[in-house]
């Protein structure tokens, strides 16, 4: 059954983070039913369901183009280049591709209007940050291009399998990609098609001096008080503590499995899904202060 407009629902906070609809509480059957859209509101292309998401398959869609540029800025780590500034340079016709960002002139951008005010000095701050990040790790470079199903984490799997430069990735067959642990046939097909469709973007970026940093083999694993420990966080993130755990020889995990040894929770008495699963596997659940003390 669908939901009607104005329905009352019961929502829980799963894993201390994710809103989840538990139940329909009340509903007026005389109200209009909420219906998922069938067409892209930007370009009217029929939408596809990809996993849990409705997606526009037209990569030439203006919203897709803007989203790809926004994704690049965020994933690469550019500061001071928010949505308002991005919308201003796109509306002015200065940017229609990722590579166009690196052709921007601070004076010209500074003269634009942004939400009713002049961009001014914000242009220089944004472009200084952008141009200070022209040499990127391979996983950041390829994983920020918007290849479907393949972000930075998936590219790191390719690097770990020995594909340590752009040429190796560009020349890898679907069979070689699907043999990489964590890929499989579906992701391999998606990656191959997505990377090939973006070769022009990569060449354009290289012309603007945006390159991949030389590969450096990872250092030997650290040893220390956390050697042999696999740690996952739930309901809280502490980058400094994660770095300390890694420096002391521990591994940071993103999910609870039988290989985990410690689950760090904002509340060690949490009854979240992750905490319950951890206890069911005999994994210790502790708080942040206890974790810091152990490190």
């Amino acid at each position: 059954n669908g939901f009607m407009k104005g329905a009352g629902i019961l929502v829980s906070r799963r894993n201390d983070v994710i809103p989840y609809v538990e139940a329909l509480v009340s509903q007026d059957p005389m109200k209009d039913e909420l219906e998922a859209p069938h067409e892209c509101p930007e370009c009217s292309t029929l939408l596809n369901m990809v996993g849990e998401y409705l997606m526009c398959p037209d990569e030439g869609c203006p919203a897709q183009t803007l989203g790809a540029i926004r994704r690049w800025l965020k994933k690469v780590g550019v500061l001071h280049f928010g949505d308002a500034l991005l919308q201003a340079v796109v509306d002015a016709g200065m940017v229609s591709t990722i590579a166009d960002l690196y052709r921007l002139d601070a004076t010209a951008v500074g003269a634009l209007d942004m939400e009713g005010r002049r961009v001014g000095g914000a242009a220089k701050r944004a472009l200084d940050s952008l141009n200070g990040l022209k040499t990127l790790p391979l996983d950041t470079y390829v994983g920020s291009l918007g290849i479907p199903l393949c972000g930075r984490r998936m590219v790191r799997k390719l690097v770990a399998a020995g594909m340590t430069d752009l040429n190796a990735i560009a020349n890898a067959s679907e069979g070689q990609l699907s043999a990489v642990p964590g890929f499989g046939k579906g992701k391999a097909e998606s990656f191959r098609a997505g990377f090939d469709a973006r070769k022009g973007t990569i060449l354009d970026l290289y012309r603007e001096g945006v390159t991949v940093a030389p590969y450096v083999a990872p250092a030997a694993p650290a040893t220390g008080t956390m050697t042999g420990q696999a740690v996952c966080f739930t309901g809280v993130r502490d980058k400094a503590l994660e770095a300390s755990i890694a420096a002391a020889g521990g591994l940071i995990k993103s999910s609870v499995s039988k290989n985990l040894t410690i689950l760090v929770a904002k509340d060690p008495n949490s009854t979240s899904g992750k905490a319950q699963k951890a206890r069911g596997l005999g994994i210790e659940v502790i708080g942040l202060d206890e974790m810091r003390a152990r490190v």
Side-chain angles (χ1 to χ4, degrees):
N1 294 330
F3 290 100
M4 305 297 183
K5 292 180 181 179
I9 57 175
L10 178 66
V11 179
S12 67
R13 189 182 179 200
R14 290 201 168 186
N15 295 328
D16 291 331
V17 175
I18 304 166
Y20 182 82
V21 178
E22 296 283 357
L24 176 64
V25 176
S26 62
Q27 180 155 267
D28 183 347
M30 301 304 293
K31 293 286 184 70
D32 292 335
E33 184 174 351
L34 292 168
E35 187 176 355
H38 301 290
E39 296 181 347
C40 173
E42 189 73 25
C43 69
S44 300
T45 301
L46 290 177
L47 300 173
N48 292 336
M49 181 65 77
V50 181
E52 298 177 342
Y53 303 100
L54 276 172
M55 296 184 67
C56 173
D58 180 10
E59 293 196 3
C61 169
Q64 291 271 39
T65 300
L66 182 63
I69 298 169
R70 182 186 291 118
R71 181 190 304 109
W72 176 269
L73 291 169
K74 179 181 178 182
K75 300 297 185 184
V76 168
V78 177
L79 303 176
H80 314 299
F81 216 126
D83 285 350
L85 178 54
L86 177 57
Q87 193 67 59
V89 295
V90 170
D91 289 346
M94 294 179 175
V95 171
S96 60
T97 68
I98 294 171
D100 284 342
L101 293 167
Y102 298 90
R103 302 181 183 113
L104 290 172
D105 174 75
T107 302
V109 175
L112 296 176
D113 284 335
M114 177 179 67
E115 295 185 335
R117 67 185 192 280
R118 204 166 69 88
V119 173
K124 185 177 185 306
R125 291 192 295 273
L127 294 182
D128 283 350
S129 177
L130 174 76
N131 291 305
L133 294 166
K134 280 191 164 183
T135 303
L136 303 167
L138 182 60
D139 62 315
T140 299
Y141 199 110
V142 177
S144 302
L145 291 171
I147 297 172
L149 306 180
C150 297
R152 293 168 295 179
R153 184 175 62 86
M154 295 305 294
V155 180
R156 285 195 285 272
K157 294 180 184 293
L158 299 180
V159 174
M163 300 178 199
T164 57
D165 59 43
L166 273 176
N167 284 332
I169 289 178
N171 294 322
S173 67
E174 283 186 14
Q176 290 172 314
L177 291 168
S178 64
V180 173
F183 256 73
K185 188 174 186 296
K187 281 193 173 67
E189 290 176 353
S190 178
F191 184 86
R192 184 71 281 145
F195 184 92
D196 291 347
R198 289 160 176 78
K199 283 183 177 179
T201 298
I202 294 170
L203 291 172
D204 214 6
L205 285 167
Y206 259 77
R207 291 187 193 101
E208 299 305 319
V210 187
T211 61
V212 172
Y215 174 70
V216 177
T223 58
T225 55
M226 296 301 297
T227 298
Q229 302 295 321
V231 183
C232 176
F233 285 74
T234 181
V236 63
R237 294 299 301 272
D238 188 323
K239 291 291 187 181
L241 182 54
E242 289 183 11
S244 297
I245 291 168
L251 294 175
I252 302 299
K253 299 285 189 178
S254 60
S255 60
V256 175
S257 69
K258 63 181 181 180
N259 298 319
L260 194 70
T261 56
I262 301 171
L263 179 66
V264 181
K266 185 175 182 180
D267 174 11
N269 297 314
S270 170
T271 58
S272 72
K274 277 188 176 180
Q276 292 185 48
K277 183 177 180 181
R279 293 189 186 99
L281 293 170
I283 296 166
E284 190 177 22
V285 182
I286 64 175
L288 284 168
D289 289 341
E290 174 64 19
M291 188 72 258
R292 292 190 185 100
R294 294 189 188 187
V295 173

